Amino acid sequence: GESVGLHLPTLSVQEGDNSIINCAYSNSASDYFIWYKQESGKGPQFIIDIRSNMDKRQGQRVTVLLNKTVKHLSLQIAATQPGDSAVYFCAEQNNAGNMLTFGGGTRLMVKP
Amino acid sequence: AAGVIQSPRHLIKEKRETATLKCYPIPRHDTVYWYQQGPGQDPQFLISFYEKMQSDKGSIPDRFSAQQFSDYHSELNMSSLELGDSALYFCASSSFSTGTKQFFGPGTRLTVL
């Protein structure tokens, strides 16, 4: 994914609704993908990860879907809560297992 | 649980000055990573260290250097600061037991005037 600069795409949802955040990744050799949540002034916080040999993984209220054919990741948040408001980044890592390459962030705003 | 510690949390410098950012990884983590995040942008990988040796290098300017010490803490040294160096600098750490999962610190906000 490319940086979106100063204008982050924003997803606005009503509290209790489900949220879907999408991300396109760039390297077909990447074999590990992570979603991070970043609140204002804080460091990225790990949410959920998935390896390239899977196409779906579920956590508590979150699901990550991986479509390797089109190099697309999505994060689904069930019953979105005000505390979910943050910027969400996807990140990819290749089989060297080291540096993370972040995709463009999406700002999630939850309306009470 | 102990987290990654970064110091200072905020730093203000003038152009052409130097700065040193410190990172203390989670106990028993042997790998540290540095990332730079400009306003409204994605974190960009700078450099990483494993067992005190540089393991990977990203878009780190030649004016910057870093090292990892015997206690596994790391320092990012930045010289001849430019206005464009103003950013959040994150350190992350990992270990064999965490696999590829990186845990991020709270960041240092550097402002260059």
Side-chain angles (χ1 to χ4, degrees):
Chain A
E2 292 184 351
S3 169
V4 293
L6 295 174
H7 303 288
L8 286 171
T10 298
L11 174 65
S12 185
V13 300
Q14 203 68 41
E15 180 179 359
D17 287 352
N18 297 333
S19 303
I20 300 176
I21 300 171
N22 296 303
C23 174
Y25 64 92
S26 56
N27 187 351
S28 56
S30 295
D31 61 358
Y32 178 62
F33 304 89
I34 315 101
W35 279 100
Y36 283 94
K37 172 186 180 183
Q38 187 176 25
E39 296 174 282
S40 181
K42 297 184 179 180
Q45 176 188 353
F46 173 90
I47 302 173
I48 192 168
D49 57 0
I50 189 168
R51 295 210 169 269
S52 59
N53 60 352
M54 302 172 68
D55 53 21
K56 181 179 180 178
R57 189 160 188 231
Q58 287 185 288
Q60 187 175 19
R61 277 202 312 120
V62 294
T63 302
V64 55
L65 299 177
L66 173 63
N67 184 331
K68 294 182 288 294
T69 303
V70 294
K71 293 190 285 186
H72 183 268
L73 269 173
S74 68
L75 176 70
Q76 300 177 358
I77 305 174
T80 313
Q81 301 169 1
D84 295 326
S85 294
V87 176
Y88 290 80
F89 290 98
C90 67
E92 59 186 293
Q93 193 172 58
N94 62 27
N95 56 15
N98 209 330
M99 58 184 279
L100 291 174
T101 300
F102 284 80
T106 296
R107 186 181 304 281
L108 176 64
M109 297 176 62
V110 182
K111 296 177 287 186
Chain B
V4 176
I5 297 172
Q6 291 188 245
S7 69
R9 294 294 312 279
H10 302 272
L11 190 58
I12 299 174
K13 291 286 185 179
E14 299 277 341
K15 275 171 46 178
R16 293 179 288 278
E17 286 190 321
T18 61
T20 297
L21 278 53
K22 297 185 179 182
C23 168
Y24 298 86
I26 292 171
R28 290 179 294 281
H29 282 198
D30 51 19
T31 307
V32 293
Y33 313 79
W34 287 97
Y35 293 84
Q36 177 192 57
Q37 186 178 29
Q41 301 201 351
D42 316 331
Q44 296 288 324
F45 173 73
L46 293 178
I47 196 166
S48 62
F49 293 86
Y50 167 68
E51 285 289 345
K52 292 151 278 183
M53 299 287 290
Q54 181 182 309
S55 55
D56 213 342
K57 193 172 183 180
S59 51
I60 184 169
D62 292 341
R63 299 177 289 108
F64 295 5
S65 65
Q67 57 182 322
Q68 184 180 30
F69 295 85
S70 58
D71 64 351
Y72 296 104
H73 94 273
S74 178
E75 295 183 4
L76 178 65
N77 299 292
M78 311 160 71
S79 62
S80 302
L81 287 168
E82 302 173 356
L83 297 178
D85 297 328
S86 296
L88 272 167
Y89 291 83
F90 291 106
C91 173
S93 72
S94 70
S95 70
F96 179 78
S97 64
T98 71
T100 46
K101 194 179 295 184
Q102 298 180 20
F103 294 86
F104 282 78
T108 294
R109 181 175 295 280
L110 172 67
T111 302
V112 182
L113 303 175

